[in-house]
Amino acid sequence: MRNNIIAIVAISFATVGALWGIGNLINPESEVDLPVEDILLVAQRSTFNETNPDVYVPVNVPTKLVVQNDDAVTHDLKVDPSSNGGITPINTAPLRGGQDFLTAIVASKPGTYEYYCSYHPQMRGYIISH
Ligand SMILES: [Cu+2]
């Protein structure tokens, strides 16, 4: 009985190992080689990244966006629907100090779109898709 259990466990490990190996052959780590960088916007002293920078994203390539609130006060980040329909709206919902939110910037047309904090009018910048 005990030998049977040991044999089953050994076969299970062998199977998992084989599947793992095959998976790596089919799906190598370097499968995606796009010049896309993740974007981090940190709300601090009521700015995003000190300068409310322009954010450049490629059209039709979703770009990972993390919004992090390092202030004591609540911030959010919103992108409204655009008149040309070229960007997916974003709304992080209110973020308290220390909270962050993971989302994506998805632009389907070239354009300039505003991002902003709905609590602080000076916290605004542009997403430029190209
Ligand atoms: Cu704010």
Side-chain angles (χ1 to χ4, degrees), residues 43 46-48 71 73-76 117-123:
S46 290
T47 66
F48 291 109
D71 263 340
V73 299
T74 297
H75 297 288
D76 62 10
C117 171
S118 63
Y119 297 92
H120 304 100
Q122 76 276 18
M123 294 177 72

